[in-house]
Structures are given as C-alpha cells and as structure tokens.
Amino acid sequence: MSQPTFDVETRWPELFAQLDPEQRRAVVRSLAAGWHEGWEPNREDVADLIDYTRGALTFDEYQARSAAKAERIAGAASTL
C-alpha cells in the first residue's frame, strides 16, 4: 500500500540521528526523489543509504547490497 506522505525521518528517527544536517538533507532529498517516482523505501533501503552517506559502506559495497536486494525481490516474484 502506498504511503500518502513521505515520512522516512519520522518512521526511522534512530537512523537519521547518525547524520549531520547536511547529510540528512542529502539522504532525504535522494529518498524523496525516488518516492515521487513511485518507489517506497523500506528500512533496509534507508539504512543502507545512510551507511553509505556516513562512510560506513563504500560505493561498491552499497551497490552490492542494492544488487543483492534486487535479486531477492526478483527471486520472490518468480515464485508467485
């Protein structure tokens, strides 16, 4: 079900607490851009982007996690 409002900061404040104000704005803008296109971020998506933004993940690690999520989703969809 689609969320009527973009509320990622309210839903997962503990994730955003790790960011400085500039990082927070960058993450929210990035997530909002996808949300406006119909994508609904989940906690794992938000946590991964925050980890990348704060330097806990390299770009390659971030991409690998994203690819693994896509494969899981594709695998789950193929069993329906």
Side-chain angles (χ1 to χ4, degrees):
M1 177 197 271
S2 179
Q3 293 290 327
T5 59
F6 184 70
D7 65 349
V8 292
E9 290 181 278
T10 303
R11 291 173 73 188
W12 303 295
E14 72 283 1
L15 297 177
F16 287 89
Q18 305 172 71
L19 302 175
D20 65 36
E22 185 177 329
Q23 292 171 320
R24 176 183 227 123
R25 281 189 298 278
V27 167
V28 169
R29 279 193 307 261
S30 180
L31 294 169
W35 181 77
H36 282 292
E37 295 296 323
W39 171 66
E40 294 194 33
N42 59 43
R43 190 180 196 288
E44 182 182 16
D45 297 328
V46 174
D48 286 348
L49 182 57
I50 286 174
D51 283 349
Y52 171 66
T53 299
R54 62 186 189 86
L57 291 177
T58 66
F59 182 69
D60 289 340
E61 291 168 330
Y62 179 72
Q63 282 194 312
R65 286 187 181 191
S66 296
K69 281 186 269 188
E71 287 177 19
R72 283 195 321 261
I73 292 167
S78 68
T79 63
L80 297 178

